[in-house]
Amino acid sequence: MKISSLQQARYEYSPKLPGMLRHGISEISVLEGEETQSVADQEKIKELFPNTYGKKEITFQKGKNTSPAKKQVVGVILSGGQAPGGHNVICGLYDALKATNSENELYGFKNGPSGLIDDDYLIFDDAYIDEYRNTGGFDIIGSGRTKLETEEQFAIAAEVCKKHGITAIVIIGGDDSNTNAAVLAEYFAAHDTGVQVIGCPKTIDGDLKNEDIECSFGFDTATKTYSELIGNIERDANSAKKYWHFIKVMGRSASHVALECALETQPNICLVSEEVAAKKMSLSQIADYIADSVEKRAAKGMNFGVAIIPEGVVEFVPEFSKLIAEINELLAGSKADEFNAIETWEEKYAFIEKGLTKESMEVFAILPVGIQQQLFLERDPHGNVQVSLIESEKLFSALVADKLEQRREAGTYKGKFNALHHFFGYEGRCAFPSNFDSDYCYSLGYNAFMLIQYGYNGYLSKISNLSKPANEWVAGGMPITKMMNIERRHGEDKPVIKKALVELDGKPFKYFEAHRGEWAENTCFVYPGAIQYYGPAEVCDITTKTLALEQE
Ligand code: FBP
């Protein structure tokens, strides 16, 4: 029986390459640009990367392919959280590699960077690859969060590459994984292994971007998926007119996802963590800000609304970070066992009250009991509170409810406030990639192979001009060291790719800032609907509002 499904149809989709990569492998030549400098701390980065620093930016163009005709054996790794389009990076890489020489081979190291160290792999063939074309997920080889960062790991990686005759490794990951890709590239060069390393920019969080990388892949599909769901909830809210929906969206620290969803759906409220930090807002101020919208809407007879909360916001509230730091200290080492041995919550509360400073206790005291308990239940392997597990959507709705009660007593608020809660994260990370992510990811992979073929090491696959139709996209590569600066991490100075937070003077935030007052008081919802894969380009190939505003 022939099964018709979107999945079947997507296998047949032909991703669009940038114009300059469309002429066939023999017609792709390199244009070398200027030598590069790191964005900051040039001397230090140069010293740390003597073999890979200062290399030239490159762009591909139509022309005779002059790359050496050697057999390539490439290994690929998926690193970190899933992002729609990861399969297409591998498909693009595979297609370029086989189109160049059918003897070339592609190894997939399983379950993330640890697959390289454990020498756990599969070798791709056409049949295997065809099952994953234009599909979401990372299940093609699995992903993991092990970091490749120690000399010992690098030495094992070099051995594994030697054993299989691997000539290049492609690391598909976020800012940390690509930082580590640069360190591995330097190690391979310094030890004359002959193995190249190329990175590809992945993360739905959208925080791997800079003047060279316009966006990380997966952001487009994930935000479109969340925006569809938020739009559906807005329509329900506007139909039933009886609930306030508090919706937390993923994005570990940056608020790009929340902001993009707000630009797409025009909710009543969207918190932006970077603004909370810049204005040093307290929990009480944030709750007042939301309560103002609830009160104004209630005065117009609208006891409903939608508020978007970025996942990482509580860490950006200064008083809350201080509280977390004190709790980590309070439970450090054996004190955690002492705490856990206490039987009742009342006794535990007394223990906490004794251990926290007066200011932190004041913050702790206003939290709903459920949140207070969450702060003491979930610890990460380093013994820290896992802030991402805090149900901040419930925290803020509870704080808003308290504020509204006070206002009711003061006679300024007479409405009804019923809150519902949602968390959108995993719903979007493995969605079928949008046409944009299908095309972008395939191009990143295809392009990564061209960088390998031309002998580049320590480069990030770069596709730019992304707000234009794919034909006008520009393909090339940028040395990863160009994107690095020195930051203090775990008490040490480290070379890292700078994480891109939302810029408060950037066009996406400025647009939001100019409109949010009206959105807060009135009902200006926009219902984006589901991602469209087939139909007119102006519906199916549109990029994010963030990218469109940044490039207008
Ligand atoms: P990456 O930075 O690895 O792409 O992952 C980002 C992310 O999707 C965040 O939005 C989220 O906080 C985190 O992963 C959750 O990861 P996990 O499911 O491993 O806890």
Side-chain angles (χ1 to χ4, degrees):
M1 182 178 68
K2 186 170 174 339
I3 299 171
S4 303
S5 64
L6 182 67
Q7 184 170 341
Q8 288 293 338
R10 290 312 278 169
Y11 290 153
E12 309 298 324
Y13 176 76
S14 291
K16 300 185 272 297
L17 282 169
M20 68 214 19
L21 299 181
R22 289 185 188 180
H23 308 287
I25 296 284
S26 61
E27 293 286 308
I28 300 174
S29 72
V30 165
L31 179 67
E32 289 204 328
E34 297 290 308
E35 287 181 352
T36 55
Q37 296 277 344
S38 60
V39 284
D41 308 304
Q42 287 87 3
E43 285 312 309
K44 280 192 189 153
I45 306 276
K46 189 173 178 184
E47 206 179 300
L48 291 165
F49 295 89
N51 295 283
T52 49
Y53 185 83
K55 301 284 182 206
K56 293 174 178 167
E57 167 172 12
I58 74 114
T59 310
F60 291 114
Q61 59 179 3
K62 186 174 186 309
K64 190 171 163 32
N65 187 332
T66 55
S67 63
K70 75 167 187 182
K71 180 183 170 188
Q72 301 282 4
V73 181
V74 177
V76 64
I77 297 168
L78 289 164
S79 181
Q82 284 70 252
H87 288 167
N88 265 26
V89 179
I90 296 179
C91 295
L93 178 64
Y94 178 85
D95 287 353
L97 168 145
K98 289 290 181 189
T100 302
N101 178 351
S102 59
E103 300 290 302
N104 286 345
E105 284 184 305
L106 182 61
Y107 283 57
F109 287 101
K110 293 187 189 169
N111 305 323
S114 62
L116 178 59
I117 306 303
D118 301 339
D119 196 14
D120 187 8
Y121 65 90
L122 57 81
I123 300 176
F124 292 104
D125 60 21
D126 291 356
Y128 192 93
I129 282 280
D130 287 348
E131 291 286 310
Y132 292 93
R133 290 186 187 276
N134 308 302
T135 56
F138 276 9
D139 45 323
I140 188 168
I141 44 174
S143 185
R145 290 199 180 274
T146 308
K147 291 187 191 309
L148 278 187
E149 55 187 354
T150 66
E151 287 260 327
E152 195 191 350
Q153 289 173 319
F154 294 164
I156 298 172
E159 276 307 308
V160 171
C161 290
K162 196 167 162 199
K163 176 176 159 196
H164 299 296
I166 286 176
T167 51
I169 295 285
V170 174
I171 296 180
I172 303 170
D175 53 332
D176 277 349
S177 305
N178 278 298
T179 292
N180 293 336
V183 183
L184 182 64
E186 178 63 31
Y187 178 94
F188 281 165
H191 291 77
D192 274 333
T193 59
V195 183
Q196 300 155 236
V197 181
I198 301 294
C200 287
K202 170 234 75 165
T203 176
I204 63 153
D205 290 5
D207 54 10
L208 171 47
K209 69 173 168 182
N210 48 48
E211 60 181 34
D212 297 306
I213 301 304
E214 294 175 5
C215 75
S216 54
F217 78 74
F219 179 72
D220 186 270
T221 310
T223 54
K224 285 188 167 101
T225 305
Y226 305 144
S227 298
E228 178 206 348
L229 298 174
I230 294 167
N232 294 350
I233 285 176
E234 286 179 338
R235 198 134 224 177
D236 197 287
N238 200 20
S239 306
K241 304 195 191 298
K242 60 178 179 180
Y243 294 122
W244 263 86
H245 293 267
F246 284 72
I247 306 172
K248 181 169 82 166
V249 291
M250 259 191 187
R252 184 71 191 83
S253 56
S255 304
H256 299 291
V257 172
L259 180 57
E260 171 62 21
C261 292
L263 295 172
E264 290 283 351
T265 61
Q266 303 187 177
N268 307 104
I269 295 288
C270 173
L271 301 181
V272 174
S273 307
E274 291 81 347
E275 184 183 26
V276 165
K279 293 185 173 166
K280 297 191 173 42
M281 289 174 85
S282 64
L283 290 177
S284 168
Q285 284 169 322
I286 299 171
D288 267 323
Y289 168 65
I290 303 173
D292 286 348
S293 167
V294 177
E295 186 184 322
K296 283 181 188 151
R297 288 175 63 74
K300 295 181 184 178
M302 294 182 288
N303 289 300
F304 65 92
V306 169
I308 300 179
I309 316 288
E311 184 182 19
V313 67
V314 283
E315 269 187 298
F316 287 73
V317 179
E319 60 185 4
F320 201 85
S321 330
K322 186 166 177 289
L323 169 66
I324 300 281
E326 286 188 22
I327 292 176
N328 287 338
E329 194 54 39
L330 189 64
L331 297 189
S334 61
K335 285 185 274 177
D337 296 335
E338 193 187 325
F339 178 80
N340 290 333
I342 303 174
E343 276 177 14
T344 67
W345 176 245
E346 287 68 35
E347 288 169 290
K348 283 185 175 178
Y349 198 93
F351 176 96
I352 297 164
E353 211 163 11
K354 248 197 287 158
L356 296 181
T357 58
K358 186 169 162 289
E359 301 81 61
S360 288
M361 195 56 213
E362 275 167 18
V363 178
F364 188 74
I366 62 163
L367 303 178
V369 178
I371 303 280
Q372 289 178 338
Q373 293 179 339
Q374 271 171 27
L375 291 175
F376 286 85
L377 281 180
E378 308 284 354
R379 328 287 301 161
D380 75 6
H382 307 285
N384 296 325
V385 173
Q386 291 198 57
V387 183
S388 64
L389 296 181
I390 294 171
E391 293 173 302
S392 42
E393 68 283 24
K394 292 189 181 157
L395 166 65
F396 285 113
S397 83
L399 295 178
V400 169
D402 286 349
K403 292 281 179 193
L404 293 171
E405 272 323 298
Q406 290 163 19
R407 293 178 187 204
R408 192 186 299 286
E409 279 161 27
T412 56
Y413 171 70
K414 297 187 175 60
K416 288 189 196 132
F417 179 70
N418 293 311
L420 291 177
H421 306 104
H422 316 263
F423 170 39
F424 297 147
Y426 298 99
E427 292 80 352
R429 294 203 313 184
C430 287
F432 274 102
S434 60
N435 286 353
F436 174 86
D437 271 328
S438 296
D439 299 346
Y440 181 40
C441 292
Y442 188 83
S443 301
L444 284 170
Y446 202 93
N447 187 61
F449 183 72
M450 296 321 301
L451 290 167
I452 293 167
Q453 186 64 15
Y454 271 102
Y456 293 100
N457 180 31
Y459 276 66
L460 208 57
S461 179
K462 172 178 167 177
I463 305 289
S464 49
N465 211 24
L466 293 172
S467 62
K468 297 282 179 332
N471 190 36
E472 294 171 43
W473 290 357
V474 178
M478 186 57 76
I480 303 176
T481 51
K482 159 131 197 287
M483 300 162 201
M484 294 177 119
N485 67 166
I486 300 285
E487 287 178 22
R488 201 90 186 138
R489 297 271 172 99
H490 304 296
E492 276 180 70
D493 281 347
K494 291 267 184 199
V496 292
I497 299 177
K498 204 170 161 37
K499 198 180 266 307
L501 299 180
V502 169
E503 287 177 12
L504 300 182
D505 56 359
K507 286 185 184 165
F509 183 79
K510 285 282 168 208
Y511 182 93
F512 167 68
E513 195 179 32
H515 293 85
R516 64 178 165 188
E518 198 199 335
W519 300 351
E521 279 188 48
N522 302 311
T523 301
C524 307
F525 300 155
V526 172
Y527 315 113
I531 296 174
Q532 301 296 306
Y533 299 92
Y534 300 98
E538 60 272 24
V539 176
C540 300
D541 295 350
I542 34 175
T543 59
T544 58
K545 296 259 186 288
T546 303
L547 195 60
L549 285 165
E550 282 170 348
Q551 296 193 355
E552 75 182 2

